Amino acid sequence: MSYDRAITVFSPDGHLIQVEYALEAVKKGTTAVGVKGKDVLVLGVEKKSTAKLQDPRTVRKIVQIDDHICMTFAGLTADSRILINKARFECQSYKYYYEDPIGVEYITRYIAKTQQKYTQSVGVRPFGVSTLIVGYDSKGFPKLYQTDPSGNFSSWKASCIGRSEKPVKEFLEKNYVDEMDEEQTVRLTIQSLVEVVESGEKNIDIAIMRKNKPIEFLGRTRIAEIVKEFEEEKKRKEEED
Amino acid sequence: MDSLVGFVGKNYVLMAGDTNAGRSIMRLKDDFDKLVPIDSHKILAKSGEIGDGNQFCNLIIRNVSLYRIRNETELTTKSVAHYTRRQLATAIRKNPYSVNLLLGGYDKKDQKGSLYYLDYLGSSKKINYGAQGYAALFVGSILDRFWNEDLDFEDGLELMKKCLKEVEKRLIIGTRCFLIKMINSDGISVVEKVMINSEKKNEIEEEN
């Protein structure tokens, strides 16, 4: 009997092969980065280059789950839609019962729980999606969480998912500093993406989540400005060397 | 016992509700807000069973929010009215909500306010002016006489106070205190919390 076919069952060496294959699907998806600053959260995504005749505005990778929570994902877009819909519903459902806005960790647990359910149910396959969830907790601290197809979730200072996960994570580990202000956090996010995104700043989307404010998508011109500044700095360093 | 009054003005909607909440002969609360905001530009004024009103309004608010998050756009007042009516209509033959509502809203697209009358049986009608509860018996004629579609805000407020005065005068159950809210392009704002004092009380004092 082949242990990696159809439903998720254990292989002889204790692996859930389907889940691991799902992680492979995530590794094929476009990169998504999340960085936590002192009192700001920044999400950056690599946008898949759209075909000439395609309307680029319909491909949105950073989505709002509730007024105070945003998420992005890497992997199968259609699978992510299901998770996003469920999460959105759960947020309103929570508010319906408890009158309070949902907590970031709560909704992360919910999404992770959902992903795990699909690794232990009949006739379904795991979600081929890892997610990055950002929001502020009840005490007002910024939080960044990551979930993956196995149903694991964890909190991060900065994280990356998708195809350029390794180089971007290394970059973040080298350059991340605690308690960054908004400007520094945005720069770090853009810088980490620019290194790996193929066609440069046109294919990057940056979203800033400030406390008690709606999410703001950084404009094209601003991103281009910052990228230009990096390139000039790089040139200067090379000239000095 | 609830009194709700509402009408559409030039580019606003004015709504008022009494602030009494009671059970049989006892007044439980005299600062009860019956004008519930559904989103930034819509108010659902509820009358009837207090528990049903709370539950039903919560349901509508949450579903309107869900629509907004899912589709990144707000529903029009007409859509919310239709949705609310649908919920009432499906409930009436299973587990009825004993609530009668006035839904007022301002739509930025049309730059116009609108008012809807909804009742627990699942009827819905777009109206220019109207009332729920006992107030409906008294204010209908006043609004017939004095309402016109070009009422600016000051005249509208005066007309509303006229209506509320009549309710206070004629309704045997004491409802002196009313909350007036306005919806316009800037959103929802509390206009006034009015305490209406009947004139007759002054007359008796003078005699003595």
Side-chain angles (χ1 to χ4, degrees):
Chain A
M1 178 184 174
S2 188
Y3 291 97
D4 60 358
R5 293 278 175 80
I7 54 174
T8 318
V9 288
F10 280 111
S11 68
D13 57 348
H15 288 249
L16 291 170
I17 305 286
Q18 275 296 299
V19 174
E20 291 179 14
Y21 285 175
L23 280 154
E24 289 300 313
V26 171
K27 285 192 195 144
K28 286 207 162 69
T30 51
T31 316
V33 174
V35 183
K36 182 166 73 172
K38 181 171 183 200
D39 50 12
V40 73
L41 290 154
V42 182
L43 285 174
V45 294
E46 171 197 359
K47 284 196 300 195
K48 213 195 227 178
S49 34
T50 50
K52 235 188 184 173
L53 297 170
Q54 193 179 33
D55 184 347
R57 291 173 303 171
T58 54
V59 186
R60 265 281 201 86
K61 269 191 70 174
I62 302 176
V63 290
Q64 252 192 309
I65 300 294
D66 201 351
D67 294 315
H68 61 299
I69 299 184
C70 276
M71 73 178 253
T72 184
F73 61 90
L76 298 168
T77 313
D79 280 10
S80 78
R81 258 204 323 262
I82 306 288
L83 280 176
I84 290 167
N85 265 336
K86 282 184 189 244
R88 283 171 166 166
F89 187 89
E90 180 65 16
C91 286
Q92 297 307 314
S93 184
Y94 184 95
K95 206 161 183 189
Y96 177 80
Y97 286 115
Y98 304 110
E99 202 68 22
D100 282 334
I102 201 168
V104 194
E105 192 182 332
Y106 193 104
I107 192 64
T108 307
R109 271 179 205 276
Y110 175 80
I111 295 174
K113 185 168 73 158
T114 309
Q115 286 185 289
Q116 192 280 339
K117 253 191 223 171
Y118 280 64
T119 68
Q120 207 177 9
S121 297
V122 180
V124 295
R125 61 164 175 79
F127 288 97
V129 176
S130 281
T131 70
L132 287 174
I133 302 153
V134 292
Y136 291 84
D137 68 3
S138 53
K139 300 201 180 97
F141 294 118
K143 283 275 148 79
L144 166 67
Y145 285 95
Q146 179 183 330
T147 71
D148 63 32
S150 65
N152 271 328
F153 74 93
S154 40
S155 175
W156 294 76
K157 291 181 181 174
S159 186
C160 170
I161 48 177
R163 60 181 165 214
S164 315
E165 182 190 330
K166 248 201 170 153
V168 175
K169 256 208 181 126
E170 277 173 22
F171 179 85
L172 289 171
E173 280 175 14
K174 249 199 244 166
N175 296 292
Y176 183 86
V177 187
D178 280 324
E179 314 270 302
M180 287 185 285
D181 66 17
E182 183 179 312
E183 184 68 30
Q184 290 169 314
T185 319
V186 171
R187 284 175 159 266
L188 183 66
T189 315
I190 296 180
Q191 209 170 2
S192 62
L193 276 175
V194 154
E195 311 262 319
V196 294
V197 165
E198 295 161 347
S199 15
E201 79 263 11
K202 288 215 184 104
N203 280 4
I204 298 178
D205 254 351
I206 303 285
I208 304 173
M209 186 112 226
R210 301 181 188 92
K211 209 194 293 191
N212 297 328
K213 294 222 172 81
I215 190 174
E216 183 198 323
F217 285 92
L218 214 54
R220 292 279 121 221
T221 39
R222 183 72 189 119
I223 299 178
E225 266 174 36
I226 297 178
V227 172
K228 214 177 167 185
E229 285 167 25
F230 289 150
E231 289 176 352
E232 284 173 1
E233 249 187 76
K234 228 179 176 181
K235 264 192 201 162
R236 243 182 287 141
K237 276 200 177 148
E238 283 171 5
E239 280 170 11
E240 279 171 16
D241 295 332
Chain B
M1 267 182 280
D2 299 309
S3 301
L4 303 172
V5 186
F7 57 81
V8 181
K10 196 158 184 195
N11 43 18
Y12 63 89
V13 179
L14 214 53
M15 297 179 79
D18 73 310
T19 55
N20 271 340
R23 251 271 141 97
S24 129
I25 58 165
M26 181 150 78
R27 181 181 292 134
L28 291 168
K29 224 169 130 65
D30 62 359
D31 55 0
F32 188 56
D33 186 357
K34 296 177 187 169
L35 307 175
V36 180
I38 306 182
D39 65 22
S40 56
H41 288 74
K42 292 175 196 60
I43 286 180
L44 201 52
K46 51 184 178 178
S47 80
E49 277 286 347
I50 295 182
D52 281 0
N54 282 342
Q55 281 292 83
F56 187 72
C57 282
N58 253 347
L59 180 68
I60 301 300
I61 292 170
R62 287 301 119 232
N63 279 292
V64 169
S65 280
L66 185 59
Y67 183 95
R68 175 172 51 88
I69 298 278
R70 271 202 176 133
N71 302 290
E72 297 174 4
T73 180
E74 291 200 345
L75 282 164
T76 59
T77 314
K78 180 178 168 191
S79 303
V80 176
H82 279 253
Y83 177 79
T84 309
R85 190 211 81 83
R86 170 63 56 189
Q87 295 298 308
L88 288 164
T90 46
I92 185 63
R93 287 181 201 276
K94 284 193 189 158
N95 47 344
Y97 290 103
S98 292
V99 274
N100 298 310
L101 310 160
L102 282 178
L103 170 69
Y106 184 91
D107 294 310
K108 284 199 175 138
K109 235 193 219 171
D110 311 319
Q111 307 224 324
K112 255 198 295 181
S114 44
L115 185 67
Y116 286 84
Y117 174 106
L118 299 128
D119 79 6
Y120 75 106
L121 295 164
S123 24
S124 160
K125 184 92 179 78
K126 185 167 192 293
I127 51 174
N128 289 317
Y129 54 86
Q132 290 275 17
Y134 287 115
L137 300 167
F138 306 117
V139 307
S141 40
I142 301 179
L143 290 166
D144 275 338
R145 173 89 171 74
F146 292 110
W147 182 88
N148 68 73
E149 58 187 8
D150 289 320
L151 275 173
D152 63 12
F153 179 65
E154 279 83 38
D155 293 337
L157 188 58
E158 227 186 278
L159 176 58
M160 181 60 88
K161 285 189 182 166
K162 210 181 253 177
C163 293
L164 300 178
K165 228 178 183 169
E166 194 65 19
V167 172
E168 195 278 332
K169 189 175 180 190
R170 291 298 177 189
L171 193 54
I172 202 167
I173 306 158
T175 37
R176 275 194 321 266
C177 199
F178 299 89
L179 187 61
I180 307 177
K181 287 191 183 174
M182 173 188 67
I183 317 168
N184 63 4
S185 58
D186 298 325
I188 301 169
S189 50
V190 177
V191 178
E192 234 181 286
K193 190 172 185 190
V194 277
M195 284 281 289
I196 311 257
N197 284 312
S198 185
E199 287 157 2
K200 211 159 197 188
K201 295 198 185 101
N202 295 335
E203 282 176 30
I204 294 171
E205 281 174 29
E206 276 170 25
E207 272 182 36
N208 291 338

